[in-house]
Every structure is written in structure tokens, then in C-alpha cells.
Amino acid sequence: MPIGIFGGTFDPIHYGHLRSAFEVLQALRFEEVRFIPCGDPPHRGATFAAAEMRLRMVEVAVSDQDGFTCDDREIRRDGPSYTIDTLLDLREEFPRRSLGLILGMDAFLGLSKWRRWDEILSVAHIVVAHRPGWKAPDIGALGEMISDFRTHRVDDLHDSLCGRIYVHAVTQLEISSTEIRDLVAAGRDARFLMPDAVKDVIEESRIYESCTK
Ligand code: ATP
């Protein structure tokens, strides 16, 4: 059964991430979804919480869910966290397992700016989880990639190790890490946007109290 790979800054992790991953885990019959917090994100500014703290929040968020795991390889690795390096590393560790890189539609739309993005399908499948307000591209390099490699069959993700794109609609939860950071910085309560265990880490460490966009 495939291993799902869900990368992100997770600054902090929230129910938008967790619900999407859970729906993918169940609907696509993945054995596992591995949350991989980014060490040093190459495509955006510095994170607000330190890598170790973001890792801690992911660990407490996934600890009670069967099939959810947390992987710290990007945080342990030096230099910018490029997804292709992570995938190649996982491919070496799991030479005979199907790998499914899970991306929100907004992340997928930026894919062509990623390092060696056109090699991703030779290592893993791509699962695009729809996010509110985003539509699959039908033109340009990504449009072409979708039309060449898209499948509507979940079994294709099980029968081959890599190479297909599967677009999966997930329940739309309009939650973002930015919104949570802003709420906390404004002294408001971010309860019910993320697991209480994550909220506890935020409160104990006071990481977002003085953060501004
Ligand atoms: P920020 O607000 O700091 O930009 P974010 O909430 O978008 O953060 P990231 O850690 O950057 O979170 O996102 C990691 C992955 O999760 C991306 O693939 C993104 O598309 C997806 N994602 C983020 N928020 C949601 C959501 N509410 N529902 C589904 N997927 C989401």
C-alpha cells in the first residue's frame, strides 16, 4: 500500500492539514501519511516558529491517529529543504513502495518553480488535494502534466510506484497557519482550529505572541 508524503512548514499544523491528510489516507487506501515539516523552506521567507518547535507540534498532532507519522528528515538535513531530495531519500529507503506526494492545489500551482520539479513523477505519484477556491490548471506546463499523467483510478496509485497524478476533493476547511498566528498575536483564542495538544505547545512556548505577518 502507498505511503503518502505530506510536507509543509506547519507553522503551526492545523485541522485543514489533518483533515485533508486523513481523507486521502482513507479514500486512497494509503497505509500511512508521513508529515514532513520543512527544515529551511526555499520558496518563502523564514518561518515564525523554529524547526524543532514545528516538529514538536506535528508530533503531538499526529500521535493519536493510526496511519499518521511524523518524519524529521528535512529538519535533520542541512541546507534548503528541496522536496526532490526528500523523495529520492525515501525512494532509497523504500525501493518497492508506491509513494504519493500530497499537495494542496495552491502548492501544486507553484510546482513548476520547485527545484527539479519535472523529476518528481519519476520518483512518486502526486495527489492534489483540492483546497477552497482553487481549480486544476488546464494550460501551461502543469496543465500539460495533468493531461498526460492524470488518472481517475485509485488502483493506479497502488499498482505502480510513481508517475501518476490523482486529484482528490477534500472537505474544504478554510483554515490557514497565517490566520492562527494572527489570532494568537492578537491575544485571541485559536481553539478548534487545531488539536488542543498543538494549542498547548503554542501557549506554553508563546511562539506566536509577538509575531506579525
Ligand atoms: P501559511 O498560512 O503559513 O502559508 P498554510 O496553512 O498554507 O500556511 P503550509 O504548511 O504552508 O500551511 O501548507 C502545507 C500544505 O498543506 C500545502 O500543500 C497546502 O496546500 C496544504 N494546506 C494548507 N492549508 C490547508 C487547508 N486549509 N486545507 C487543505 N490543505 C491545506
Side-chain angles (χ1 to χ4, degrees), residues 4-210:
I5 296 143
F6 195 174
T9 47
F10 302 127
D11 191 15
I13 189 166
H14 53 67
Y15 281 133
H17 302 128
L18 291 161
R19 182 67 206 175
S20 304
F22 185 62
E23 291 186 11
V24 167
L25 178 78
Q26 293 210 310
L28 277 52
R29 306 190 310 274
F30 280 12
E31 175 157 313
E32 170 188 343
V33 171
R34 225 168 240 254
F35 290 77
I36 309 191
C38 184
D40 173 10
H43 301 291
R44 50 194 286 170
T47 57
F48 292 88
E52 290 302 333
M53 200 52 77
R54 291 181 290 106
L55 175 67
R56 173 96 196 102
M57 291 190 278
V58 173
E59 278 169 353
V60 298
V62 305
S63 65
D64 284 341
Q65 178 54 52
D66 282 349
F68 277 6
T69 56
C70 176
D71 182 321
D72 65 356
R73 76 186 62 219
E74 290 196 358
I75 283 174
R76 280 188 279 106
R77 202 164 65 216
D78 286 334
S81 306
Y82 293 114
T83 299
I84 187 70
D85 297 336
T86 305
L87 293 175
L88 289 168
D89 212 30
L90 285 162
R91 174 52 71 217
E92 211 173 292
E93 192 176 331
F94 301 104
R96 304 296 314 153
R97 294 292 296 274
S98 164
L99 300 175
L101 177 67
I102 303 165
L103 299 175
M105 184 62 82
D106 58 330
F108 180 72
L109 292 179
L111 192 70
S112 59
K113 297 191 196 77
W114 291 16
R115 183 166 180 257
R116 295 165 59 192
W117 69 278
D118 50 347
E119 293 173 40
I120 289 177
L121 284 179
S122 62
V123 191
H125 300 294
I126 295 178
V127 174
V128 185
H130 276 282
R131 203 179 175 188
W134 298 88
K135 178 181 166 295
D138 46 20
I139 51 165
L142 289 177
E144 218 169 276
M145 191 179 177
I146 288 205
S147 84
D148 289 349
F149 299 105
R150 184 166 178 178
T151 179
H152 295 275
R153 289 183 65 245
V154 170
D155 285 350
D156 284 342
L157 306 178
H158 289 246
D159 295 345
S160 54
L161 304 184
C162 59
R164 306 309 298 263
I165 299 176
Y166 187 89
V167 181
H168 184 64
V170 290
T171 302
Q172 305 194 341
L173 295 175
E174 189 62 274
I175 303 172
S176 74
S177 303
T178 305
E179 174 197 359
I180 294 174
R181 292 192 303 267
D182 290 348
L183 274 176
V184 175
R188 291 173 50 204
D189 195 332
R191 189 154 194 217
F192 303 127
L193 296 174
M194 68 202 132
D196 283 345
V198 176
K199 187 168 146 346
D200 290 345
V201 173
I202 293 174
E203 284 173 0
E204 281 156 23
S205 60
R206 306 174 70 177
I207 28 182
Y208 300 126
E209 279 184 17
S210 59

